[in-house]
Amino acid sequence: MVKRLYHGLALVALINLFALIGFVGFLVASGRLDEERAQLIADVLRGEGREAEPAPVEPGDSPSVPQPSRAEIAETQAKKEFFRLIGERLESEIRQRQELNDSVQLEVLRRLEEIDRKNQRFVQERQAFQEQSQQEGFQQVLDMYSQMEPELAKDLLRGTTKDADVVRILMEMDPNRRRNIINACQDEADRLWIRRILDQVQKIDER
């Protein structure tokens, strides 16, 4: 059974081979198949087919460049538009951040200037208050020494008050009261002290 099937297949193969040979002979005889093409067909049948050689480029002919399809063109345009929008967005964010930074710096400078003005005003008010307090205190001291007995005023001024303060008190005091305090300086120590004070008063008057 298998032997018959084998012989049958061999017979069919031989028939096909003869038919192919006859067809090739017909092509050669009719001029439709030259020797080179016949050799190429034979090589293919033997499994030795040659790789197809590229067609020669005639002088002056430029190689054809594949043209992009509509889909590729649309995709390229979409990418360009996407990157353009990203660039504009980044520029906008950078500009907004710069404007915010400038605004913050201006606000900081404005507040620093305001703080500086407040500090200056505070210093001036404190200085004026101190001067007023000192003046009021000095006036009270002046009134106190002016109402004392000259001998007591002389002792207190000499024993408890700095020379600069004594000079100021005597210069602001009523001339008659000042003269009484000066006349109260009888002993040598008192006269040395009052002479030193009067010298300082004179220097101030000469300025």
Side-chain angles (χ1 to χ4, degrees):
M1 181 71 180
V2 176
K3 194 172 184 180
R4 287 182 182 180
L5 179 59
Y6 174 76
H7 287 300
L9 292 175
L11 180 61
V12 172
L14 289 174
I15 293 173
N16 290 333
L17 178 60
F18 289 133
L20 179 60
I21 292 173
F23 179 69
V24 172
F26 169 74
L27 293 176
V28 173
S30 62
R32 298 180 180 179
L33 185 65
D34 55 14
E35 181 179 357
E36 183 179 358
R37 292 182 177 179
Q39 183 63 38
L40 181 60
I41 292 174
D43 292 341
V44 171
L45 291 175
R46 291 195 300 269
E48 300 176 358
R50 293 177 296 175
E51 295 181 357
E53 297 180 357
V57 179
E58 297 294 334
D61 293 342
S62 59
S64 60
V65 178
Q67 298 297 326
S69 63
R70 291 183 178 179
E72 292 174 342
I73 294 175
E75 183 180 0
T76 301
Q77 292 178 346
K79 288 181 179 179
K80 290 182 179 179
E81 181 67 14
F82 175 72
F83 288 123
R84 185 184 67 81
L85 293 176
I86 290 180
E88 291 180 354
R89 179 62 180 173
L90 290 176
E91 290 179 358
S92 177
E93 289 181 355
I94 292 174
R95 184 170 57 255
Q96 291 176 358
R97 290 180 181 178
Q98 185 63 39
E99 292 175 353
L100 178 61
N101 185 37
D102 294 341
S103 176
V104 170
Q105 289 182 353
L106 289 175
E107 181 65 18
V108 170
L109 290 176
R110 187 187 66 79
R111 293 192 176 184
L112 289 176
E113 291 176 354
E114 183 178 356
I115 292 173
D116 186 59
R117 287 195 299 270
K118 289 182 178 180
N119 288 336
Q120 291 179 359
R121 186 165 60 250
F122 173 76
V123 171
Q124 293 173 357
E125 291 177 352
R126 184 180 62 181
Q127 184 177 358
F129 175 77
Q130 290 176 348
E131 291 177 355
Q132 182 179 1
S133 299
Q134 291 176 357
Q135 182 63 31
E136 292 177 354
F138 174 77
Q139 188 63 41
Q140 291 176 358
V141 172
L142 180 62
D143 293 341
M144 179 186 69
Y145 281 110
S146 298
Q147 295 173 6
M148 286 183 182
E149 293 293 331
E151 185 71 22
L152 178 60
K154 179 261 301 182
D155 292 339
L156 289 176
L157 288 173
R158 182 184 173 189
T160 62
T161 308
K162 296 179 180 179
D163 286 358
D165 294 334
V166 174
V167 170
R168 184 182 178 188
I169 291 172
L170 292 180
M171 290 181 66
E172 297 292 335
M173 187 177 291
D174 179 78
N176 293 327
R177 295 182 181 275
R178 179 174 61 226
R179 187 180 301 109
N180 292 332
I181 294 176
I182 294 173
N183 293 333
C185 297
Q186 298 296 325
D187 59 25
E188 185 66 21
D190 289 341
R191 286 197 294 269
L192 291 174
W193 169 75
I194 196 63
R195 187 178 298 115
R196 185 176 69 247
I197 296 298
L198 292 177
D199 289 341
Q200 296 181 30
V201 171
Q202 184 177 3
K203 290 180 181 178
I204 294 176
D205 290 335
E206 291 175 353
R207 291 178 183 177

